[in-house]
């Protein structure tokens, strides 16, 4: 046995657990999926920002862009849509928030993705929001995205993102109005996708077992070959 083989054999075996959910997480792939996505958006955001409810009830142009993926949670018992978020990579166009803020070079020069339209229905499984974040992280990692970027408005949501490892892009607590979010002031935060596992492990982060050491078979991040592409349907709807 060569020295390299011996070294590998002496490495600790990772501990992995499998955990099932009360809901599934998959890519929105049909017109019916998209209708349910918009329904969750309108209901969740309309409660806090009533002026956006009508706008969110229909798909927008970003939904149909090449490089955009939409995650959808469905309750396994009823099939009802319970949560969603959108991932827009800078493939076809710059990120939406780049229409409102100039990103620093360390971020603007790297493959990046913006998370928007994160919405969870009242009464949904408490793990829904966190599971959407894990699915978004895994999707970005598989898509070779270096940075996830978000605009957060509420202090509670900002604390959630900071707890995951997001940090300020601008000055501490600096906020900018985002055109695509009703011109409301948002704090811009970024997350290093590539370094996340190492950072979580080094800091003993409480979410490391959930994010890294747990396999969730109810998460499906790539469409089956039989699924039709969503982008044409979204463009027609928009």
């Amino acid at each position: 046995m060569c020295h390299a083989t011996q070294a590998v054999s002496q490495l600790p075996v990772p501990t992995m657990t499998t955990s099932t959910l009360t809901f599934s997480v998959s890519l929105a792939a049909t017109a019916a999926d998209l209708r349910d996505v918009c329904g969750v958006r309108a209901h969740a955001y309309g409660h806090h920002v009533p002026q956006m409810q009508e706008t969110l009830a229909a798909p927008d142009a970003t939904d149909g862009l090449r490089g955009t993926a939409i995650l959808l949670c469905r309750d396994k018992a009823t099939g009802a849509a319970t949560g969603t978020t959108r991932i827009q990579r800078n493939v076809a166009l710059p990120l939406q928030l780049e229409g409102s803020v100039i990103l620093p070079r360390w971020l603007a020069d790297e493959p990046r993705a913006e998370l928007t339209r994160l919405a969870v229905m009242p009464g949904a499984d408490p793990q829904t929001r966190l599971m959407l974040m894990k699915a978004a992280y895994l999707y970005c990692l598989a898509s070779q995205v270096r940075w996830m970027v978000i605009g957060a408005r509420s202090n509670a949501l900002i604390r959630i993102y900071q707890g995951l490892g997001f940090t300020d892009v601008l000055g501490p607590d600096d906020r900018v109005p985002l055109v695509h979010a009703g011109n409301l002031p948002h704090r811009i935060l970024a997350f290093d996708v590539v370094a996340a596992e190492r950072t979580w492990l080094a800091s003993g982060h409480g979410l490391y077992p959930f994010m890294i050491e747990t396999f969730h078979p109810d998460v499906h991040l790539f469409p089956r070959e039989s699924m039709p592409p969503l982008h044409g349907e979204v463009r027609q709807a928009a």
Side-chain angles (χ1 to χ4, degrees), residues 75-222:
D75 184 88
K76 288 162 66 174
T78 65
T82 57
T84 181
T85 194
R86 180 172 69 193
I87 307 165
Q88 181 216 346
R89 293 181 289 133
N90 64 314
V91 174
L93 291 172
L95 305 182
Q96 277 193 301
L97 60 77
E98 291 183 76
S100 304
V101 61
I102 299 176
L103 298 178
R105 290 292 300 273
W106 58 265
L107 180 53
D109 289 345
E110 297 284 352
R112 55 202 180 278
E114 181 180 3
L115 269 62
T116 57
R117 303 296 193 246
L118 176 62
V120 177
M121 293 291 282
D125 187 303
Q127 289 195 92
T128 303
R129 186 187 300 274
L130 185 57
M131 201 65 243
L132 281 167
M133 291 304 303
K134 175 173 180 174
Y137 159 70
L138 293 174
Y139 184 88
C140 287
L141 190 65
S143 303
Q144 295 185 299
V145 167
R146 176 62 193 272
W147 292 97
M148 282 198 288
V149 191
I150 58 97
R153 192 170 64 90
S154 73
N155 290 329
L157 191 56
I158 290 168
R159 287 193 294 270
I160 290 173
Y161 283 123
Q162 288 176 325
L164 289 167
F166 281 77
T167 57
D168 281 295
V169 172
L170 309 175
D173 206 32
D174 282 357
R175 296 172 185 252
V176 293
L178 298 181
V179 174
H180 67 289
N183 281 311
L184 296 171
H186 285 67
R187 191 160 158 182
I188 310 303
L189 304 169
F191 176 82
D192 190 339
V193 175
V194 177
E197 180 176 355
R198 181 178 69 248
T199 302
W200 287 329
L201 179 62
S203 65
H205 199 292
L207 286 175
Y208 184 84
F210 177 86
M211 299 294 285
I212 303 300
E213 296 182 325
T214 304
F215 170 62
H216 292 96
D218 297 309
V219 177
H220 310 282
L221 296 180
F222 296 95

